[in-house]
Amino acid sequence: QVQLVESGGDLVQPGGSLRLSCAASGSIFTIYTMGWYRQTPGKQRELVASITSVGSTNYVDSVKGRFTISRDNAKNTVYLQMNSLKPEDTAVYYCYARIRSGRRLTDDYWGQGTQVTVSE
């Protein structure tokens, strides 16, 4: 059983910073791409940033230059460093990972979501 557990969401002022973390656990053979999505009520979930197993990254235009995604393969963990936060960054952020399990089954997994609120 594979599980993603994320943390780090909080209430911050505009211009502030947060660091989100997401750790995968369970029967894991290989973790391929990992990423972060966000969702606001009334909107579709959108990709914020992704990173491949070899470190290639991709970002939505609105966060380029402000957010940085990284991963620690030894810890099965992905991070999202968020700087210069804006009110429009407010959303529930979801961790994502495509994982090949110990049984050689590949599937997509999601974290429970963590709330990021940028206000004041």
Side-chain angles (χ1 to χ4, degrees), residues 78-99:
V78 63
Y79 307 93
L80 186 66
Q81 178 67 47
M82 304 184 292
N83 299 325
S84 302
L85 283 162
K86 304 175 180 179
E88 49 263 46
D89 295 319
T90 296
V92 177
Y93 284 70
Y94 295 90
C95 176
Y96 159 85
R98 175 162 289 182
I99 297 174

Side-chain angles (χ1 to χ4, degrees), residues 35-92:
W36 292 93
Y37 290 70
R38 64 187 180 188
Q39 187 168 29
T40 301
K43 293 179 56 182
Q44 291 188 348
R45 188 173 299 184
E46 70 169 350
L47 175 66
V48 179
S50 64
I51 182 167
T52 70
S53 60
V54 295
S56 297
T57 59
N58 190 39
Y59 300 90
V60 67
D61 286 344
S62 60
V63 309
K64 288 181 178 177
R66 299 188 297 120
F67 292 9
T68 302
I69 189 171
S70 61
R71 64 191 286 171
D72 185 337
N73 291 331
K75 297 181 178 179
N76 291 336
T77 300
V78 63
Y79 307 93
L80 186 66
Q81 178 67 47
M82 304 184 292
N83 299 325
S84 302
L85 283 162
K86 304 175 180 179
E88 49 263 46
D89 295 319
T90 296
V92 177

Side-chain angles (χ1 to χ4, degrees), residues 7-13 15-21 66-68 79-85 89 91 93 114-118:
S7 62
D10 206 349
L11 170 65
V12 296
Q13 295 182 333
S17 298
L18 283 175
R19 190 194 195 202
L20 306 183
S21 300
R66 299 188 297 120
F67 292 9
T68 302
Y79 307 93
L80 186 66
Q81 178 67 47
M82 304 184 292
N83 299 325
S84 302
L85 283 162
D89 295 319
Y93 284 70
T114 185
Q115 178 70 49
V116 172
T117 302
V118 185

Side-chain angles (χ1 to χ4, degrees), residues 27-41:
S27 181
I28 297 171
F29 184 77
T30 302
I31 302 180
Y32 301 109
T33 297
M34 306 185 80
W36 292 93
Y37 290 70
R38 64 187 180 188
Q39 187 168 29
T40 301

